[in-house]
Amino acid sequence: MASASNKPLPSAFEGPDDSPGYLMWRVSNSWQREQRNALQHLGLTHTQFVVLAVASWFEEKEVLTQIRLSQLTGSDTMTISQVVRVLEKAGYLQRIPHQKDTRSKVIRVTKAGRELAEQAVQVVEATDKKFFMPLGDNGQSLITLFRKLLR
């Protein structure tokens, strides 16, 4: 039986499409599906791509450990550990001893990893361009809003 307000749930919203969280979840799922399909032919998941791309981007700027990769990607350390292990086994990353911290390993991108990252970033950016095209000139505004949410 519906409540007095004729809403099935005691929500501040008239329906799911009025909820920014629900819409973000739907958009995120749709975007992830597009990226997953686009990267499939390269044998990468999107998470693997992000780790490989971030490692490629930052390895010359700073010493990368799994903890640092976790911070840079916003992923939990267990996920990063699993992804690094898979990418290392595939020959795209290597873990070498840390000069100052014997408990840590430094993450380095191999030549094969760099080549794959270069291919994958083109695929991901083309997929983004197609996905966000309906926003037209509002794409930059969306980036600004996302940055605000991440601060």
Side-chain angles (χ1 to χ4, degrees):
M1 183 172 194
S3 66
S5 66
N6 288 330
K7 287 187 192 178
L9 295 171
S11 171
F13 303 107
E14 286 299 313
D17 283 346
D18 295 325
S19 165
Y22 176 75
L23 291 173
M24 174 73 108
W25 180 72
R26 294 269 323 267
V27 169
S28 177
N29 282 337
S30 180
W31 175 82
Q32 287 178 52
R33 189 171 30 259
E34 294 295 320
Q35 290 294 352
R36 187 172 41 251
N37 291 339
L39 287 166
Q40 194 171 29
H41 79 280
L42 294 175
L44 285 175
T45 66
H46 192 259
T47 304
Q48 290 168 346
F49 161 73
V50 169
V51 169
L52 190 58
V54 167
S56 296
W57 190 272
F58 285 96
E59 78 173 350
E60 296 303 321
K61 297 175 171 89
E62 61 182 276
V63 175
L64 290 178
T65 61
Q66 287 181 181
I67 290 172
R68 186 63 180 134
L69 277 173
S70 174
Q71 293 166 344
L72 290 168
T73 63
S75 299
D76 66 86
T77 54
M78 184 60 73
T79 298
I80 294 299
S81 176
Q82 293 168 348
V83 171
V84 165
R85 200 173 301 122
V86 168
L87 292 172
E88 181 182 34
K89 188 175 179 183
Y92 300 130
L93 294 179
Q94 61 185 129
R95 289 187 279 191
I96 59 175
H98 194 290
Q99 290 182 14
K100 296 177 182 168
D101 183 354
T102 57
R103 296 167 297 159
S104 292
K105 300 281 187 190
V106 175
I107 309 299
R108 297 304 252 154
V109 180
T110 64
K111 184 177 186 291
R114 168 68 70 178
E115 290 169 358
L116 182 59
E118 289 173 1
Q119 280 184 287
V121 76
Q122 298 302 312
V123 169
V124 166
E125 288 179 1
T127 303
D128 275 354
K129 185 176 181 180
K130 181 180 172 192
F131 185 85
F132 292 108
M133 192 178 298
L135 297 179
D137 294 338
N138 293 321
Q140 193 58 46
S141 297
L142 184 64
I143 290 169
T144 301
L145 293 171
F146 283 159
R147 287 178 179 153
K148 276 186 178 181
L149 289 174
L150 289 172
R151 279 193 205 115

